[in-house]
């Protein structure tokens, strides 16, 4: 009689489908998608952009490597997630930021926000967003000192477009300047067209879902259009487009609010998340003390993601509602 051999049953979490698309490939495509914005930023602010970006990437990768080494964990620097975090931190700060402050931001993002909560896939909030907010609150002067764009010295002051608007709106850059990127601001948010190219590339490659970016941007547009239509403070259509192109809406919508870990899983949850980001952004911009609200909006919606997932979770057929006898 033939003896049968049984292999061990391996129990593991989803996904169970074998795919050529892994974390490192996804992160590599995200890095590639940010290159157009990096190129424009170098053109606008000079070569220090490359130096600061390199410092942030190297520091982030080093902190992840050092933590894994110290804690005797499997090295994860090869998945490129730390490199993406470092590049996003660079994109969220002025090009003239001192290197040591940028390195501190990388430490906060990688060690405190990511690794202390278990590493990739277990962080509660977006590491780069959290690092930017901590740096903004802790080093307000350095984080709001904007180098003057080289080709627009006669047209645009050192304030960001949203900063100019908050101070009364004198000498606002036109929407074409915002679209191309010839304005002051953080390194990775000045050129709307460069961010759109990268974001649409990620959507085309199915790295991100279009739901959150489109609902985020659409909510900003609708809110701004209604507000300026009611108040009469300028052309409603022009100002709605201005709020989409200015500040970090494009960067946040395509690269920050689409993080797999800290955003909802289901389509309806993504819609709620995107609308929430847009609403909070505009409430802060129009009624808050800060001229920009993208980072705060994404962080707040990250915190609400578990509740949104629970709210949007489909009930199995035949399942009873809570407290239902």
């Amino acid at each position: 009689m033939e003896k049968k051999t049984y292999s061990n049953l391996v129990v593991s979490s989803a996904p169970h489908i074998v795919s050529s698309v892994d974390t490192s490939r996804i992160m590599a495509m995200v890095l590639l998608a940010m290159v157009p914005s990096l190129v424009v930023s170098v053109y606008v602010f000079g070569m220090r952009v490359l130096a600061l970006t390199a410092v942030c990437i190297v520091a982030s990768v080093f902190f992840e490597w050092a933590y894994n080494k110290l804690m005797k964990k499997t090295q994860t620097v090869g998945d490129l997630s730390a490199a993406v975090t470092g590049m996003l931190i660079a994109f969220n700060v002025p090009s003239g930021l001192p290197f040591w402050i940028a390195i501190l931001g990388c430490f906060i993002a990688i060690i405190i926000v990511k690794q202390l909560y278990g590493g990739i896939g277990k962080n509660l909030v977006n590491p780069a967003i959290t690092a930017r907010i901590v740096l903004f609150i802790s080093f307000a002067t350095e984080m709001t000192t904007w180098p003057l764009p080289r080709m627009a010295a006669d047209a645009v002051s050192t304030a960001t477009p949203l900063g100019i608007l908050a101070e009364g709106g004198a000498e606002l850059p036109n929407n074409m300047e915002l679209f191309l990127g010839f304005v002051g601001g953080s390194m990775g948010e000045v050129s709307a067209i460069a961010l759109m190219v990268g974001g649409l590339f990620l959507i085309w490659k199915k790295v991100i879902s279009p739901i959150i970016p489109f609902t985020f941007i659409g909510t900003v547009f609708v809110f701004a259009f209604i507000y300026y239509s009611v108040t009469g403070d300028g052309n409603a259509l022009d100002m709605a487009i201005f709020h989409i192109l200015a500040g970090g809406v494009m960067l946040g919508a395509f690269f920050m609010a689409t993080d797999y870990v800290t955003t909802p899983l289901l389509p309806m949850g993504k819609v709620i998340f995107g609308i929430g980001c847009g609403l909070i952004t505009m409430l802060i911009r129009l009624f808050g003390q800060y001229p920009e609200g993208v980072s705060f909006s994404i962080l707040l919606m990250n915190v609400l993601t578990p509740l949104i997932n629970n709210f949007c979770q489909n009930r199995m057929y035949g399942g009873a509602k809570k407290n239902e006898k």
Side-chain angles (χ1 to χ4, degrees):
M1 184 175 179
E2 184 180 354
K3 184 178 180 181
K4 295 183 179 180
T5 303
Y6 299 93
S7 60
N8 294 331
L9 176 64
V10 177
V11 179
S12 63
S13 59
H16 304 291
I17 300 175
V18 177
S19 172
S20 60
V21 180
D22 57 14
T23 301
S24 60
R25 288 172 63 90
I26 290 173
M27 295 300 165
M29 284 189 280
V30 174
L31 290 171
L32 180 62
M34 289 191 282
V35 169
S37 184
L38 179 64
V39 171
V40 174
S41 188
V42 171
Y43 177 73
V44 173
F45 297 117
M47 294 303 294
R48 197 177 191 279
V49 168
L50 289 180
L52 185 56
T53 302
V55 166
C56 289
I57 292 175
V58 171
S60 297
V61 172
F62 171 77
F63 286 134
E64 181 149 322
W65 173 85
Y67 181 87
N68 289 331
K69 188 76 172 178
L70 181 65
M71 303 304 294
K72 298 181 180 180
K73 298 176 63 176
T74 303
Q75 281 297 342
T76 55
V77 294
D79 63 20
L80 299 181
S81 62
V84 169
T85 298
M87 195 164 181
L88 285 173
I89 291 173
F91 273 28
N92 276 276
V93 301
S95 60
L97 187 75
F99 290 148
W100 72 270
I101 295 180
I103 292 172
L104 177 60
C106 296
F107 176 85
I108 293 168
I110 298 299
I111 302 298
I112 297 178
V113 181
K114 181 181 178 182
Q115 292 296 344
L116 291 183
Y117 282 90
I120 186 171
K122 297 180 182 179
N123 46 285
L124 300 177
V125 292
N126 186 292
I129 283 284
T130 308
R132 185 206 183 272
I133 292 175
V134 172
L135 293 183
F136 178 75
I137 294 174
S138 304
F139 306 98
T141 301
E142 291 83 356
M143 286 291 289
T144 54
T145 300
W146 312 104
L148 197 66
R150 293 186 298 179
M151 75 296 298
D154 297 330
V156 182
S157 70
T158 53
T160 65
L162 291 174
I164 297 172
L165 181 64
E167 293 172 1
E171 299 182 2
L172 275 177
N174 61 53
N175 287 340
M176 183 55 68
E177 289 176 318
L178 293 172
F179 186 67
L180 297 176
F182 302 154
V183 294
S186 295
M187 285 169 40
E189 67 181 28
V190 293
S191 176
I193 186 172
L195 293 167
M196 286 176 60
V197 169
L200 292 176
F201 168 76
L202 294 179
I203 292 174
W204 173 55
K205 299 298 290 185
K206 297 183 179 179
V207 174
I208 63 173
S209 165
I211 297 176
I212 290 178
F214 290 171
T215 52
F216 190 161
I217 296 171
T219 302
V220 169
F221 178 88
V222 171
F223 195 111
F225 185 83
I226 293 174
Y227 175 83
Y228 288 101
S229 295
V230 172
T231 62
D233 296 336
N235 183 281
L237 180 59
D238 286 345
M239 293 307 298
I241 296 174
F242 172 88
H243 276 283
I244 290 175
L245 302 179
V249 169
M250 288 291 182
L251 177 63
F254 286 113
F255 294 97
M256 313 289 279
T258 53
D259 177 42
Y260 291 164
V261 181
T262 57
T263 54
L265 302 172
L266 300 175
M268 180 54 66
K270 295 179 186 296
V271 171
I272 295 172
F273 187 93
I275 292 174
C277 287
L279 288 175
I280 297 172
T281 295
M282 291 308 298
L283 287 172
I284 293 174
R285 283 185 176 186
L286 297 176
F287 306 107
Q289 294 296 316
Y290 297 121
E292 177 61 292
V294 170
S295 296
F296 293 101
S297 70
I298 295 175
L299 181 66
L300 289 172
M301 294 307 295
N302 285 165
V303 175
L304 293 176
T305 290
L307 295 177
I308 296 173
N309 280 331
N310 186 60
F311 175 77
C312 297
Q313 183 176 344
N314 293 325
R315 205 159 41 97
M316 297 296 292
Y317 288 111
K321 295 181 179 179
K322 290 183 179 180
N323 301 324
E324 188 176 273
K325 296 181 178 179

